[in-house]
Amino acid sequence: PLGIGPSLASAEYFKRFPVPNDPGRYPGNIEAFRFAAPLENTFRTYITRLDYRVSGSNSLFGRLNFQDDAQASAPQFPGLAYNTTTQAKNWGTAIGWDKSFGANLINTWRYGFTRIDSANLGLRSGNFSSFRFIDTPTGQTSTNGRVIDTNNIINDISWLKGRHTVKFG
C-alpha cells in the first residue's frame, strides 16, 4: 500500500538459495531442491577379553569394549557441512572372579562400569530468522548430548544340591 516494494534484505537472502529443481508438494507454489548428498558414516566397535585361570578353583576375567560411531545427516544444500552428526563414544569394562569351594559351592564376583556418551552435533550457534516453508542455508539444529556413568557390583554364591540350584547374592 505504501509503494515500498519487496524487502531488499529478503531479496538478498533468497539469492543465497539454489533454484528449485523438483516440483515439491505444491508445484508452482512450494517447490523443492533435491541433490545427492555424500554421507560419510563411521561405525567402530572394539572388544577385548582376557581370561586367566589362577588355580583349579580360581579364575579371573577382564573385558573392555569401546564404541566410536559418527552418523551424519545430509547437508542443507550442496557444498555445506552436515546439518547434524550423531556421535556415540560409549565404553565399558568388566572384571570378574570365580571361586569354587568344592564341587557344589561357587562364588561369583563381578564389577562393571559403563559410560554412555552420546551427542547430536548441530550447526546452529546463535539465533536465526526463517521464512515459512523455506529452508535456511544452514541447519537449525543446536548441539546437545549426555554422559551417563553406571557402576555395577555383583556377588553371588551358588549351591548345587542334586537336581537343584540355590543362588544367593
Side-chain angles (χ1 to χ4, degrees), residues 31-109:
E31 296 180 335
F33 179 76
R34 291 182 185 263
F35 66 100
L39 296 177
E40 294 181 21
N41 297 324
T42 57
F43 301 99
R44 296 184 191 110
T45 302
Y46 306 96
I47 300 173
T48 186
R49 181 179 167 121
L50 178 66
D51 291 289
Y52 180 70
R53 170 110 24 215
V54 178
S55 66
S57 63
N58 285 295
S59 63
L60 300 170
F61 87 90
R63 183 186 73 231
L64 178 66
N65 47 327
F66 180 72
Q67 175 186 4
D68 183 15
D69 294 351
Q71 191 170 3
S73 69
Q76 200 72 20
F77 295 111
L80 298 179
Y82 302 128
N83 270 347
T84 58
T85 301
T86 303
Q87 284 187 338
K89 294 188 176 289
N90 306 321
W91 68 278
T93 187
I95 57 174
W97 172 54
D98 294 326
K99 168 78 173 161
S100 176
F101 296 100
N104 65 343
L105 192 60
I106 303 161
N107 186 65
T108 304
W109 181 87

